[in-house]
């Protein structure tokens, strides 16, 4: 028998979301031992992508995976009919066209129960329960799974909405402090999407899971938040900065760290899991692996999220026009990153961006309004 107190104490505590989900999975298995995997995929309306987010269970057929929602007829059907879906024999999907479906079946999962998740009426993702056995999701199991499913959705919503309210507050503060045009809008969309590309490419080497990749994506647009504190006369100077002006400019990383700490504490989010990722991005996106960056951190001292954002940010800065420079071509920007890989930039992160060039260019096409203008 499980101890209810332990379970609920764990859910109320500061555990990271994947551990909370493991915990609910353990509770569920006491009653329905056939549930071998729980997985959450999050929907992003802006890009129509459904992304793997967190999962529990030993086997992970799908992680760091995303797919166009509009390409998944059967998942769309679930939304259309507005009810969860039971598949009691996944063998019928053995030849399915969708990679994710084949992958689930190929990992010997025999049945699945899929629930849509909603917040205030808006669809925001799916919850998957999978089993290695056929025909296990019967009426009595489903009744209980619906309750557990709602608990799981709430855990996911709680975590996502704390993060989103933080990002939204910081963005609001930024625009109220009339952050300058070139730092808003598409620069931030592009650089955060580049950061996500790089993060997913280096994920295996640095043990980043889907959730961490998502946080890097969500937090990277806040890297230059500290520029709020830099005078326009420096920030918008149409020419090269003097040494003294550049020293002033360099304070933007520390100011960013302070702003983030203040926001976290004002919002009562000091305990937000992964707030450290945000802080590291703001503080350390100008470090260099050879120690010549703003705060002199070296190779192993620089957090991976900061190394990723450094490459994403500089690539976009180079390929965009700034008050002080013209936009460079992608070839020229890649060459410059390559030439500084291992000295200024992390080599893996540079290689990752270059390897995913096609997707980089797709991101540029999608968010192009101020790139050359
Ligand atoms: P930013 O414009 O967002 O640029 C971020 C980083 O991209 C820069 O960090 C630098 O590493 C790289 N970068 C951008 N443009 C160029 C370029 O033309 N050539 C090269 N080699 N690298 C480039 P950095 O240098 O630490 O600068 C931080 C911030 O300081 C910049 O953010 C920008 O806001 C400001 N800044 C830097 N140099 C100048 C300048 O000459 N004039 C003005 N007005 N601002 C500057
Ligand atoms: C599909 O992706 O179209 C079908 C498979 C599924 O929803 O599991
Ligand atoms: C998943 O289980 O993570 C997605 C695959 C599916 O069942 O459609
Ligand atoms: Fe910066
Ligand atoms: Fe930037």
């Amino acid at each position: 028998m499980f101890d209810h107190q332990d379970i609920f104490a764990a859910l109320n505590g500061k555990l990271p979301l994947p551990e909370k989900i493991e915990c609910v999975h353990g509770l569920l298995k006491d009653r329905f031992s056939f549930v071998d995997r729980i997985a959450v995929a999050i929907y992003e309306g802006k890009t129509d992508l459904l992304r793997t987010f967190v999962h529990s269970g030993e086997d992970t057929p799908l992680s760091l995976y995303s797919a166009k929602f509009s390409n998944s007829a059967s998942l769309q059907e679930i939304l259309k009919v507005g009810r969860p879906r039971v598949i009691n024999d996944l063998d019928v999907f053995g030849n399915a066209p969708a990679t994710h479906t084949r992958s689930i079946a190929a990992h010997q999962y025999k049945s699945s129960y899929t629930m849509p998740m909603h917040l205030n009426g808006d669809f925001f993702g799916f919850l998957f329960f999978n089993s290695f056995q056929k025909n296990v999701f019967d009426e009595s199991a489903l009744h209980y799974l619906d309750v557990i499913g709602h608990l799981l959705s709430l855990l996911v919503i709680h975590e996502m909405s704390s993060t989103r309210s933080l990002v939204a507050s910081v963005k609001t503060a930024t625009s109220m402090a009339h952050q300058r045009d070139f730092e808003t809008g598409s620069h931030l969309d592009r650089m955060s999407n580049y950061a996500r590309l790089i993060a997913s490419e280096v994920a295996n080497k640095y043990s980043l899971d889907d959730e961490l990749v998502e946080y890097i994506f969500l937090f990277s647009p806040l890297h230059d938040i500290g520029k709020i504190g830099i005078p326009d006369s420096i920030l918008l100077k149409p020419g090269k900065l003097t040494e003294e002006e550049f020293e002033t400019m360099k304070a933007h990383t520390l100011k960013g760290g302070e702003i983030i700490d203040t926001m976290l504490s004002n919002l009562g989010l000091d305990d937000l899991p992964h707030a450290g990722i945000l802080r590291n991005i703001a503080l350390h996106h100008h470090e260099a692996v050879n120690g010549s960056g703003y705060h002199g951190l070296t190779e192993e001292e620089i957090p991976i999220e900061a190394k990723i954002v450094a490459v994403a940010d500089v690539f976009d800065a180079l390929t965009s026009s700034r008050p002080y420079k013209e936009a460079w071509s992608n070839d020229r920007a890649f060459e410059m990153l390559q030439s500084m890989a291992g000295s200024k930039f992390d080599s893996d992160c540079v290689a990752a961006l270059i390897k995913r060039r096609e997707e980089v260019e797709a991101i540029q096409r999608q968010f192009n309004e101020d790139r050359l203008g």
Side-chain angles (χ1 to χ4, degrees), residues 50 65 67-78 85 87 90 93 96-102 104 112 114 126 128 130:
L50 197 57
Y65 177 80
K68 281 270 180 207
F69 182 51
S70 52
N71 292 340
S72 175
S74 82
L75 289 175
Q76 284 193 308
E77 185 64 23
I78 296 177
R85 172 193 64 181
I87 300 177
L90 272 169
F93 281 118
T99 322
H100 64 285
T101 313
R102 266 183 281 122
I104 295 292
S112 80
T114 306
F126 286 107
F128 302 96
N130 297 113

Side-chain angles (χ1 to χ4, degrees), residues 153-198:
S153 318
L154 288 176
L155 290 175
V156 175
I157 286 166
H158 175 70
E159 175 118 347
M160 294 302 294
S161 63
S162 312
T163 306
R164 286 189 180 157
S165 66
L166 173 66
V167 171
S169 317
V170 178
K171 282 187 176 161
T172 308
T174 311
S175 61
M176 287 190 331
H178 69 102
Q179 176 137 352
R180 294 59 167 191
D181 294 344
F182 65 87
E183 281 295 332
T184 60
S186 50
H187 163 60
L188 301 181
D189 278 324
R190 285 190 304 268
M191 66 77 57
S192 57
N193 277 286
Y194 300 150
R196 174 149 69 190
L197 268 189
I198 298 170

Side-chain angles (χ1 to χ4, degrees), residues 269-313:
L269 292 175
D270 308 73
D271 297 332
L272 184 79
H274 311 304
I277 295 180
L278 174 57
R279 205 175 276 121
N280 286 337
I281 286 174
L283 278 176
H284 297 306
H285 68 276
H286 287 291
E287 302 302 324
V289 293
N290 64 8
S292 66
Y294 283 18
H295 308 299
L297 265 56
T298 54
E299 189 84 65
E300 319 82 62
E301 294 166 337
I302 309 172
I304 182 65
E305 54 270 32
K307 291 173 173 169
I308 291 170
V309 168
V311 171
D313 181 39

Side-chain angles (χ1 to χ4, degrees), residues 59 90-91 103-111 131-133:
D59 198 25
L90 272 169
D91 285 348
S103 160
I104 295 292
H107 276 73
Q108 308 305 323
Y109 287 108
K110 297 296 184 200
S111 58
S131 176
F132 292 126
Q133 300 169 44

Side-chain angles (χ1 to χ4, degrees), residues 4 24-25 51 60 71 76 85 98 103 108 117-118 148 153 164 168 212 246 250 271 286 303 324 330 342 358-359 370:
H4 291 269
V24 174
H25 191 179
R51 299 175 189 286
T60 58
N71 292 340
Q76 284 193 308
R85 172 193 64 181
S103 160
Q108 308 305 323
M117 299 187 292
H118 289 92
I148 293 286
S153 318
R164 286 189 180 157
L212 293 180
F246 193 60
K250 280 167 75 175
D271 297 332
H286 287 291
Y324 62 97
N330 287 347
E358 272 180 34
E359 284 153 278
D370 66 13

Side-chain angles (χ1 to χ4, degrees), residues 182-183 187 223-224 227 232-242 245-246 249-250 252 285-286 294 310 313-318 320 322-326 328 332 336 340 344-345:
F182 65 87
E183 281 295 332
H187 163 60
H223 67 281
D224 271 339
K227 282 186 182 173
D232 275 357
S233 60
I234 295 180
L235 198 59
L236 300 179
K237 182 174 173 177
K240 228 181 138 32
L241 301 181
T242 65
E245 287 167 335
F246 193 60
M249 176 59 92
K250 280 167 75 175
H252 79 274
H285 68 276
H286 287 291
Y294 283 18
D313 181 39
V314 172
F315 178 73
D316 197 62
L318 293 175
S320 308
R322 287 282 196 258
Y324 62 97
K325 60 174 276 295
E326 292 298 304
W328 295 15
R332 188 173 166 206
M336 134 58 170
M340 293 186 156
K344 180 162 177 180
F345 303 109

Side-chain angles (χ1 to χ4, degrees), residues 357-368:
R357 178 169 187 149
E358 272 180 34
E359 284 153 278
V360 165
E361 290 173 355
I363 291 166
Q364 290 174 330
R365 285 190 297 275
Q366 190 181 357
F367 302 107
N368 75 349

